[in-house]
Amino acid sequence: MFRIDPRSPAHLDTIAQEIRELANGLTLLTHNTPETAAFTAGARMKALGGMTEMLSNTLLYNLSGEPSADRTERRGAGALATAAAGTSQAMGHLAEALRQVAFLQEHATRMPGLDLADAQQAAWNVIGDRLDEARTALEDTATQLESDTRHLTQPPRRPAPRRTVPIALTQRPPTPVSVPTARRQRSAP
C-alpha cells in the first residue's frame, strides 16, 4: 500500500479507480450458495477494510494538528474524508449481507418447512439488496471522488460583484416634501 498524497490528483484518481473496481461484480449470481455469497461480500469487505485503513491513516495525518496552509491539500483531505464515509457505508451493507449468510448457515441443517423456506428466501432477498446497495455506494463514492479530483486545483470561486439594481418607484421610501407653514391668502377676483 502506498501513502496517499491528498494534493495529488493522480493519487485520488487511483483511489477512485480502486473503489470502482470493488463495485464491479458485486452482485448475486443466479445459482448462489451461502458460501459464494459469503465470499462475494467477505472479499469486498476485506479489501474495503484495507482501503479504509489507508484512508484513515492519511486523514489522521492530514487533519490532526494545525490546518495546512496548502488549499489543495485541505481540499484533497476533504475529498478523502467523503470517500471514507462512502466506503464505510458500503462496508455496513456488506456486513449486513454477511449477517444474513450467517443466518442461512445457522439454519441450513434444520428440518425444512414453510416458515424456514420463507425466512431463507427473505435472507436471500436481503443479501441481494445489501450487495446492490454496497455497489451503489461504491459507485457513487468513486464518482464523487473523481469529481472532487477534477476540482482539486481550480482556483476558488469568487462571488460575482454586487450590482446596483434600480428599485421600482413603489418600493422606494417616500421623498420628504416641504410643506409651507404660513397661510396663503387668496387673491380677490
Side-chain angles (χ1 to χ4, degrees):
M1 249 186 271
F2 70 99
R3 182 182 174 281
I4 304 169
D5 181 357
R7 296 170 296 187
S8 169
H11 282 195
L12 299 184
D13 280 337
T14 298
I15 296 300
Q17 185 58 38
E18 287 180 19
I19 292 170
R20 196 167 298 287
E21 286 172 11
L22 288 171
N24 291 337
L26 193 55
T27 55
L28 281 179
L29 303 173
T30 307
H31 303 288
N32 276 297
T33 64
E35 294 80 16
T36 59
F39 181 77
T40 299
R44 293 302 195 299
M45 192 167 174
K46 182 178 179 182
L48 281 171
M51 181 173 288
T52 300
E53 181 180 4
M54 185 172 50
L55 289 170
S56 64
N57 287 340
T58 301
L59 292 170
L60 180 62
Y61 176 78
N62 283 282
L63 297 178
S64 59
E66 292 295 316
S68 172
D70 184 347
R71 183 177 165 279
T72 302
E73 185 175 353
R74 291 191 316 266
R75 268 188 153 179
L80 291 174
T82 300
T87 56
S88 296
Q89 180 184 25
M91 284 182 67
H93 294 307
L94 294 172
E96 178 57 28
L98 289 172
R99 190 169 78 87
Q100 296 300 317
V101 171
F103 169 82
L104 291 172
Q105 292 285 29
E106 179 183 346
H107 298 291
T109 59
R110 273 187 54 197
M111 200 61 119
L114 187 56
D115 290 342
L116 180 59
D118 287 347
Q120 288 172 329
Q121 185 57 51
W124 279 113
N125 291 343
V126 170
I127 292 167
D129 290 346
R130 294 307 173 262
L131 292 179
D132 289 345
E133 289 168 357
R135 184 183 63 253
T136 299
L138 291 173
E139 289 169 349
D140 291 349
T141 299
T143 300
Q144 182 63 49
L145 186 54
E146 290 163 349
S147 175
D148 290 345
T149 301
R150 282 191 302 276
H151 298 98
L152 189 64
T153 56
Q154 289 181 348
R157 293 181 64 190
R158 298 205 170 135
R162 294 184 126 214
R163 296 182 195 163
T164 308
V165 178
I167 300 174
L169 290 176
T170 57
Q171 294 178 342
R172 291 185 184 167
T175 307
V177 178
S178 61
V179 179
T181 55
R183 277 187 135 186
R184 283 188 176 182
Q185 290 185 356
R186 283 191 168 176
S187 46

